[in-house]
């Protein structure tokens, strides 16, 4: 209820304001202290209620009352005064005051009357408001369908005004208004606020005769309602959101026909409201579906981690670019990017850190390339870029270099400082492929080449890469076959302690007896088996053949103290020790007679895990030799911590031993160091007497090399060893 307070005493004014604010349905729209100001305020704000003091300084409340009534204002006016003389009371009544109270004694009565003026609220008010706002009709523009219905209502009932009134928290708002330009009034004076309390039509034939409305501002002032008939608009869910009503300025009544017509029209209004509600619902539903679809599309086309296009999207775009380039005779560059050594980051620091690093790497890539280019995450630590419309491969390589450089600045991922580098392969349209998939495959091949040659570099695709890849693929198939067909065989190379004249052992070296190419050395197929992940099968085969050979020699009475086999770095992982133990058991060989040769690089790669595995092997009783020692990364000072039995000094140090002071001092240091640690030493690749003498002088335990014997098939090895044990100085044999 919009209320104005006219009172010149500040004390009383603030007290009134405080009291009225306790009723949330009362809204004080202004206060005034003197006559002119008060009159102007009331006429401007058109309140529903005025609390009026009679003695104003300057001016008089009686004057205010007269002036506003003369101006047609119908607001209810309650007089609050100290001057309660009977004649004054009468005068005020005649001027249209609606109540007269003694300020000092009747304040409570006054407030009670104000409360009584507020129309009661329906029991389901909050549900009702929810349902009303659910229609999304309040404060919408006029709609023809509703206007047609109010016009019809006015015509049928022969009334000057017809309205569709929606009753909100504090207003009635007219969804359609026929016969008046007014679009809303306060709820506190609305007839319709009473209609919605009922289930059926409310008819007020003469408002002046009804105690609820006789002094209603809409009756006393514009639009001077005398007659009202309203049908509540009750939604299917049971809430009355408003009315369809007709109004006349004369007292009158409705015929039965008019009543039922008005009800029918109200049903039509409801049908329209319901129709709109459903349409809106459908719209919202399809909006939701659209949003869901675009979300799904995003999921299908984007990589969820980096939000870059995914592999499928990349392939699509690449095809588009190729078609475009075909028509325009332009070129495209395709970059295949793979982060170097990324797996250890994930493994050791956790996936959170890895993911964060990938997101940041993606950001850097995006910054380096142009807007017209596409960068995508293909999966894992692989990214790819389309360089649209590029002049030539030199430019593409330049972008690739920029990318590598951009990744070189250390990353901070979840608090960890990471140093990343990348290998990038470049393929060009049209020279390196006419189709998207081919370009991507060739860029991948080039990336692989970059990685193979140390990483942190760019490689441009060439035909030779494909040829090599094809050969490798063919070899791969053949090698798997070879394993099944027992085409792998062993050659043996003896290891001897010359000063003692004893045989230390024999190294088993694998060969492939290829049906077309003859005997292939291990470097033709071992790296392939390592890459393709079936080196384990090769090792199992070699291990079994070697152990069986040792047993055979035992049975022939040839006592070979130990057999050594080579183990690839990638095999040094879980279950390896069990596999070894099972093979020893299967072949009935004591663990002490097996030596595993592992390269130095294996030791430096993954500390803890490798160390545990070596300990495990040693606990079985197997002996461990470091192969190719000296060329790897481990420093001599680390050696004492490793659980090893033998150091095999790399061939490269032996080769120039007679002439190179440098090699001499290294080999000397290795032997001294190993001696201190009680680790055996074995020199590889001994081909000359001179080398042998030097090694003997330094105290090297064993030697292996062409000087003694090349790696040879078992029978020849047996013959050599038998001979050696009978004639203990092969040095003299050789010379
Ligand atoms: P490695 O373990 O260092 O093997 C020694 C290699 O040096 C052998 O080559 C051998 O023939 C060669 N060699 C021995 N004495 C001399 C010499 O006096 N002068 C010269 N110039 N070379 C000598 P091979 O048999 O071609 O083996 C090459 C590599 O293949 C091996 O190096 C080893 O790393 C790997 N390999 C051999 N057999 C196996 C196997 O069964 N499993 C695995 N994983 N790797 C193997
Ligand atoms: Ca070896
Ligand atoms: Ca070696």
């Amino acid at each position: 209820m919009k209320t104005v307070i006219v009172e010149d005493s500040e004390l009383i004014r603030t007290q009134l304001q405080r009291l009225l604010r306790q009723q949330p349905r009362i809204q004080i729209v202004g206060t005034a202290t003197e006559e002119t100001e008060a009159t102007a305020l009331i006429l401007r704000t058109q309140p529903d209620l005025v609390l009026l003091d009679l003695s104003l300084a300057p001016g008089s409340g009686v004057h205010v009352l007269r002036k506003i009534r003369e101006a047609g204002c119908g607001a209810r006016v309650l007089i609050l005064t100290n001057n309660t003389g009977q004649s004054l009371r009468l005068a005020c009544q005649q001027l249209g005051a609606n109540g007269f109270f003694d300020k000092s004694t009747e304040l409570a009565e006054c407030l009670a009357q104000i409360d009584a003026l507020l129309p009661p609220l329906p029991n389901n008010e909050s549900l009702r408001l929810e349902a009303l706002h659910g229609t999304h009709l309040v404060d919408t523009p006029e709609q023809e369908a509703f206007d047609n219905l109010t016009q019809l209502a006015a015509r049928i009932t022969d009334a000057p005004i017809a309205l569709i009134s929606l009753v909100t928290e504090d207003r009635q708002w007219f969804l359609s208004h026929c016969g008046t330009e007014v679009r809303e009034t306060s709820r506190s004076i609305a007839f319709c606020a009473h209609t919605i309390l009922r289930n059926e039509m409310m008819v007020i034939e003469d408002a002046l005769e009804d105690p609820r409305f006789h002094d209603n501002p809409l009756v006393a002032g514009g639009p001077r309602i005398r007659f009202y008939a309203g049908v509540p608009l009750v939604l299917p869910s049971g809430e009355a959101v408003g009315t369809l009503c007709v109004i006349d300025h004369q007292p009158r009544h409705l015929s039965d026909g008019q009543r039922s017509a008005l009800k029918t029209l109200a049903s039509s209004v409801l049908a329209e409201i319901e129709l709109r509600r459903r349409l809106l619902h459908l719209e919202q539903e399809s909006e939701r579906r659209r949003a869901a679809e675009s979300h799904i599309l995003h999921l299908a086309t984007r990589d969820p981690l980096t939000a870059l296009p995914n592999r499928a999207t990349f392939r699509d775009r690449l095809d588009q670019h190729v078609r475009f380039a075909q028509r325009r005779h332009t070129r495209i560059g395709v970059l295949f990017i793979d982060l170097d050594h990324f797996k250890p980051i994930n493994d050791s620091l956790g996936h959170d850190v890895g993911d964060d690093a990938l997101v940041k790497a993606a950001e850097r890539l995006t910054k380096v390339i142009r807007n017209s280019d596409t960068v995508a995450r293909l999966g894992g630590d692989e990214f790819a870029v389309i360089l649209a419309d590029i002049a030539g491969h030199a430019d593409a390589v330049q972008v690739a270099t920029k990318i590598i450089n951009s990744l070189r600045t250390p990353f901070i991922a979840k608090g960890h400082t990471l140093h990343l580098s990348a290998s990038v392969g470049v393929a060009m349209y049209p020279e390196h492929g006419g189709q998207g998939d081919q370009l991507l495959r060739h860029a991948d091949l080039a990336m692989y080449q970059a990685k193979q040659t140390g990483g942190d570099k760019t490689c441009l695709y060439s035909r030779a890469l494909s040829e090599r890849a094809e050969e490798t693929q063919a070899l791969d198939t053949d090698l798997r076959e070879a394993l099944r067909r027992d085409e792998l065989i062993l050659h043996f190379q003896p290891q001897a302690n010359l000063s003692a004249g004893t045989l230390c052992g024999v190294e088993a070296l694998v060969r492939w007896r290829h049906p077309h190419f003859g005997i292939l050395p291990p470097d033709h197929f071992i790296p392939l088996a390592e890459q393709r992940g079936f080196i384990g099968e090769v090792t199992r085969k070699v291990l079994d053949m070697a152990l069986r050979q040792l047993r055979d020699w035992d049975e022939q009475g040839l006592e070979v103290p130990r057999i050594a086999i080579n183990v690839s770095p990638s095999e040094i992982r879980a279950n390896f020790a069990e596999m070894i133990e099972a093979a020893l058991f299967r072949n009935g060989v004591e663990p002490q007679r097996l030596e595993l040769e592992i390269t130095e690089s294996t030791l430096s790669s993954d500390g803890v895990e490798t160390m545990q595995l070596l300990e495990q092997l040693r606990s079985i009783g197997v002996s461990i030799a470091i192969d190719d020692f000296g060329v790897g990364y481990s420093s001599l000072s680390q050696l004492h911590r490793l659980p090893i039995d033998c150091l095999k000094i790399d061939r490269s140090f032996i080769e120039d031993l007679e002439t190179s002071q440098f090699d001499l001092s290294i080999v000397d240091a290795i032997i001294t160091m190993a001696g201190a640690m009680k680790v055996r030493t074995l020199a590889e690749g001994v081909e000359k007497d001179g080398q042998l003498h030097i090694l003997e002088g330094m105290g090297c335990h064993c030697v292996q090399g062409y000087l003694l014997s090349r790696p040879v098939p078992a029978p020849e090895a047996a013959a050599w060893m038998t001979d050696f044990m009978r004639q203990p100085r092969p040095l003299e044999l050789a010379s």
Side-chain angles (χ1 to χ4, degrees):
M1 187 154 55
K2 285 158 67 185
T3 305
V4 162
I5 300 172
V6 182
E7 170 62 69
D8 58 349
S9 150
E10 194 188 339
L11 187 75
I12 298 176
R13 202 170 58 240
T14 41
Q15 194 193 359
L16 276 174
Q17 277 173 315
R18 193 173 49 75
L19 286 168
L20 292 180
R21 284 212 187 96
Q22 287 168 8
Q23 168 57 271
R25 294 167 71 192
I26 292 180
Q27 182 201 356
I28 298 171
V29 294
T31 59
T33 56
E34 44 100 352
E35 186 183 313
T36 338
E37 183 200 6
T39 314
L41 174 67
I42 293 165
L43 293 180
R44 181 163 45 84
T45 55
Q46 290 293 326
D48 308 316
L49 175 68
V50 178
L51 293 181
L52 184 60
D53 182 22
L54 287 185
S55 55
L56 300 173
S60 140
V62 181
H63 293 165
V64 174
L65 181 57
R66 185 171 46 238
K67 282 184 196 156
I68 64 166
R69 288 302 187 226
E70 278 168 8
C73 170
R76 289 184 171 108
V77 177
L78 301 183
I79 308 287
L80 263 177
T81 180
N82 289 320
N83 186 347
T84 54
Q86 194 55 36
S87 58
L88 193 58
R89 183 183 289 254
L90 220 63
C92 287
Q93 257 170 21
Q94 276 162 4
L95 282 173
N98 306 83
F100 198 95
F101 301 95
D102 184 337
K103 245 189 231 183
S104 47
T105 59
E106 293 175 322
L107 199 56
E109 284 86 340
C110 175
L111 291 174
Q113 179 162 351
I114 293 174
D115 262 349
L117 291 175
L118 290 165
L121 292 177
N123 295 331
N124 61 349
E125 178 64 3
S126 57
L127 277 178
R128 195 192 70 78
L129 286 172
E130 207 176 295
L132 169 65
H133 293 301
T135 64
H136 293 277
L137 283 172
V138 178
D139 293 327
T140 54
E142 277 103 343
Q143 297 182 46
E144 206 185 341
F146 292 118
D147 290 345
N148 287 341
L149 290 168
T150 47
Q151 278 160 21
L152 209 53
R155 183 140 13 105
I156 289 170
T157 57
D158 199 17
I161 296 175
L163 303 164
I164 297 171
S165 161
L166 300 178
V167 181
T168 75
E169 287 87 340
D170 53 356
R171 311 174 283 159
Q172 63 170 338
W173 179 83
F174 304 134
L175 177 59
S176 174
H177 50 112
C178 168
T180 172
E181 281 315 306
V182 177
R183 290 225 68 182
E184 63 177 44
T185 80
S186 358
R187 180 174 178 174
S188 62
I189 57 169
F191 284 56
C192 297
H194 294 264
T195 313
I196 61 165
L197 298 170
R198 314 154 46 105
N199 277 324
E200 74 242 3
M201 180 187 270
M202 178 174 89
V203 182
I204 313 292
E205 295 193 336
D206 187 351
L208 289 182
E209 299 295 313
D210 191 308
R212 288 172 298 175
F213 302 112
H214 71 95
D215 62 350
N216 186 296
L218 300 173
V219 177
R224 301 212 171 273
I225 300 176
R226 283 295 288 275
F227 169 82
Y228 169 93
V231 184
L233 298 171
V234 183
L235 293 182
S237 48
E239 295 86 16
V241 291
T243 72
L244 168 68
C245 66
V246 290
I247 286 168
D248 206 338
H249 310 301
Q250 313 299 327
R252 49 172 287 190
H253 66 268
L254 286 185
S255 71
D256 287 349
Q258 286 172 320
R259 281 174 184 252
S260 73
L262 200 59
K263 283 185 200 160
T264 308
L265 288 176
S267 307
S268 302
V269 172
L270 271 171
E272 283 292 333
I273 290 177
E274 185 60 13
L275 184 69
R276 275 163 180 70
R277 199 182 62 78
R278 290 201 185 166
L279 278 177
L280 194 76
H281 182 72
L282 278 180
E283 259 168 38
Q284 285 170 342
E285 197 54 20
S286 74
E287 181 50 44
R288 254 198 297 279
R289 195 168 314 138
R290 253 198 308 281
E293 275 164 8
S294 87
H295 181 62
I296 289 169
L297 191 68
H298 185 87
L299 288 183
T301 58
R302 297 269 158 174
D303 161 48
L305 179 66
T306 60
L308 291 179
N310 61 14
R311 181 182 279 271
T313 313
F314 181 83
R315 288 287 297 102
D316 271 2
R317 289 205 197 159
L318 185 54
D319 288 344
Q320 278 169 22
H321 279 289
V322 166
R323 282 195 295 274
F324 191 78
Q326 251 163 7
R327 282 199 302 274
R328 304 271 176 117
H329 303 290
T330 53
R331 306 173 106 170
I332 307 171
V334 177
L335 309 185
F336 199 109
I337 303 157
D338 190 290
L339 302 182
D340 298 330
H341 315 297
F342 189 73
K343 196 177 170 308
I345 294 180
N346 259 344
D347 291 350
S348 59
L349 300 177
H351 285 264
D352 278 1
V353 178
D355 283 358
D356 198 26
L358 287 172
V359 170
K360 296 198 162 120
E363 282 165 7
R364 292 205 190 160
L365 295 181
T366 314
K367 271 199 201 119
V368 171
I369 62 161
R370 291 181 305 185
N371 278 344
S372 52
D373 297 337
T374 297
V375 55
R377 179 173 175 227
L378 303 184
D381 57 354
E382 288 177 354
F383 297 86
V385 171
I386 304 169
L387 301 172
D389 194 11
I390 193 149
H393 59 74
D395 289 3
V397 169
Q398 203 181 347
V399 177
T401 310
K402 251 164 78 184
I403 285 177
I404 292 180
N405 288 339
S406 80
L407 295 173
R408 279 215 184 102
T409 319
F411 286 77
I412 309 284
K414 304 258 173 219
H416 296 269
T417 306
L418 305 178
H419 296 268
L420 292 185
S421 65
S423 304
V424 183
V426 181
M428 299 295 299
Y429 172 88
E431 50 267 60
H432 297 152
Q435 303 289 322
D437 55 351
Q438 201 180 24
L439 285 167
L440 189 61
R441 209 169 52 242
H442 287 171
D444 188 0
L445 263 183
M447 181 284 291
Y448 191 69
Q449 177 65 17
K451 185 141 300 204
Q452 286 284 293
T453 50
D456 197 16
K457 61 163 81 90
T458 300
C459 176
L460 183 65
Y461 170 80
S462 70
R463 179 78 206 119
L465 290 180
S466 282
E467 280 160 10
R468 201 173 312 155
E470 278 157 27
E471 278 168 21
T472 309
Q473 187 50 49
L475 204 61
D476 177 297
T477 322
D478 282 2
L479 184 54
R480 287 173 203 264
E481 277 288 285
L483 273 165
R484 281 202 302 112
R485 290 205 226 117
D486 288 334
E487 286 173 8
L488 296 189
I489 55 162
L490 294 183
H491 282 182
F492 300 89
Q493 190 177 34
Q495 304 168 332
N497 181 330
L498 294 182
S499 50
T502 51
L503 187 68
C504 304
V506 63
E507 179 177 3
L509 293 154
V510 71
R511 307 282 180 264
W512 179 2
R513 200 192 294 131
H514 195 281
H516 306 301
F517 306 128
I519 304 275
L520 292 179
D523 48 341
H524 276 56
F525 59 92
I526 291 289
L528 179 75
E530 284 173 347
Q531 258 170 46
R532 304 285 170 122
F534 58 96
I535 186 68
E537 286 168 62
V538 175
T539 305
R540 255 199 309 280
K541 194 119 217 171
V542 167
L543 182 62
D544 264 331
M545 288 193 289
L547 295 177
R548 204 176 317 129
Q549 186 59 61
L550 196 65
R551 283 296 307 272
D552 285 354
W553 282 329
D554 283 352
E555 277 158 25
Q556 292 163 23
L558 174 61
E559 267 180 50
V560 178
R562 184 161 40 222
I563 194 156
I565 66 156
N566 293 278
V567 174
S568 293
S570 60
E571 294 177 77
I572 305 294
R573 54 182 153 71
N575 295 333
F576 183 69
E578 280 91 330
M579 193 273 282
I580 298 285
E581 209 171 10
L584 286 166
F585 181 75
R586 206 166 39 240
N587 292 284
V589 172
E590 289 147 36
Q592 289 71 20
R593 297 180 71 197
L594 177 64
E595 184 154 84
L596 300 176
E597 298 190 0
I598 61 174
T599 53
E600 200 184 347
S601 56
T602 314
L603 303 174
S604 43
S605 65
D606 186 359
V608 183
E609 229 174 294
T610 312
M611 199 75 93
Q612 278 171 352
L613 190 75
L614 293 186
E615 295 284 7
Q616 205 180 344
L617 288 168
R618 285 251 295 204
S619 70
I620 296 173
V622 172
S623 94
I624 293 175
I626 306 289
D627 210 349
D628 304 342
F629 186 77
V631 294
Y633 306 95
S634 62
S635 72
L636 279 175
S637 58
Q638 280 184 328
L639 269 180
H640 69 278
R641 283 194 275 124
L642 293 174
I644 52 167
D645 306 275
C646 176
L647 285 185
K648 293 189 75 175
I649 305 165
D650 192 67
R651 197 163 66 226
S652 59
F653 297 108
I654 308 301
E655 210 174 337
D656 300 323
L657 201 56
E658 292 156 304
T659 50
S660 160
Q661 187 56 43
F662 177 73
D663 289 348
L664 206 63
S665 50
I666 289 195
V667 173
D668 194 27
I670 292 175
I671 293 172
T672 312
M673 187 81 181
M677 286 162 12
K678 308 218 173 350
V679 166
R680 260 186 292 133
T681 44
L682 187 152
E684 293 184 312
V686 178
E687 296 182 356
K688 298 182 195 145
D689 291 342
Q691 296 163 338
L692 189 70
H693 281 300
I694 295 171
L695 289 164
E696 260 190 314
M698 287 174 174
C700 180
H701 297 104
C702 298
V703 292
Q704 177 182 352
Y706 293 173
L707 182 64
L708 280 67
S709 163
R710 290 183 174 258
V712 285
E716 288 169 48
W720 188 93
M721 290 186 284
T722 313
D723 215 28
F724 175 74
M725 284 189 278
R726 214 180 302 133
Q727 164 65 275
R729 296 291 300 206
L731 187 54
E732 284 150 30
L733 272 181
S735 48

